[in-house]
Amino acid sequence: MERKITSVGAFMGILAIILGAFGAHELKKQLSVDQLNAFETGVKYQMYHALFLLFLGLNILLDEKAKKIVFQLVIFGVIFFSGSIYLLTTKAITGVDFKVIGLVTPIGGALLILAWSILFWNIIKAKK
């Protein structure tokens, strides 16, 4: 499980760098300042959680069940939170109005908060 978590974290980090560069160089020409700032927020949260997964994969205080739950929450949280932001902010390029999926952005945020909370709880209850 640790290998899977850390490899997904590394991949998520790679993708965040690629999307960040894409936003800084290509999207800058086509998006408003507000849209670009929102896109960058998605990239930042994706990178934060890539690092989170690296930490999770190397953490010895959580059992496999807790790691799996946190891992799944982070994956879906990033897809819902960052993914929806990417789609919402690139309407000018795609021509597709993804306004409907704006509802999943806060759900993604809630999943990420839950993942951090489970990590916190498991670290607190871990035997010294």
Side-chain angles (χ1 to χ4, degrees):
M1 189 67 177
E2 286 80 9
R3 183 182 184 121
K4 181 178 181 179
I5 293 170
T6 53
S7 62
V8 170
F11 178 75
M12 196 181 292
I14 292 166
L15 193 56
I17 293 168
I18 291 168
L19 289 170
F22 179 68
H25 299 289
E26 293 301 318
L27 295 181
K28 191 176 191 176
K29 303 170 191 173
Q30 301 177 37
L31 300 181
S32 71
V33 172
D34 287 342
Q35 290 170 321
L36 192 57
N37 286 336
F39 188 89
E40 288 174 0
T41 297
V43 171
K44 286 177 194 175
Y45 273 75
Q46 182 175 330
M47 181 56 84
Y48 298 153
H49 289 87
L51 297 171
F52 179 92
L53 290 179
L54 294 177
F55 170 78
L56 179 67
L58 300 173
N59 192 299
I60 61 171
L61 297 175
L62 277 76
D63 61 28
E64 289 296 311
K65 182 180 176 185
K67 281 186 179 184
K68 185 175 182 180
I69 291 168
V70 172
F71 174 65
Q72 290 173 342
L73 287 169
V74 169
I75 295 298
F76 285 107
V78 168
I79 290 169
F80 288 1
F81 184 81
S82 294
S84 65
I85 290 173
Y86 299 149
L87 294 174
L88 289 166
T89 58
T90 57
K91 176 186 174 189
I93 297 167
T94 64
V96 180
D97 188 3
F98 291 104
K99 202 176 256 187
V100 173
I101 66 160
L103 300 172
V104 302
T105 308
I107 294 169
L111 294 175
L112 295 172
I113 291 167
L114 185 57
W116 280 94
S117 299
I118 292 170
L119 173 70
F120 175 72
W121 175 252
N122 278 273
I123 289 172
I124 293 298
K125 75 174 189 168
K127 294 181 180 180
K128 294 180 182 182

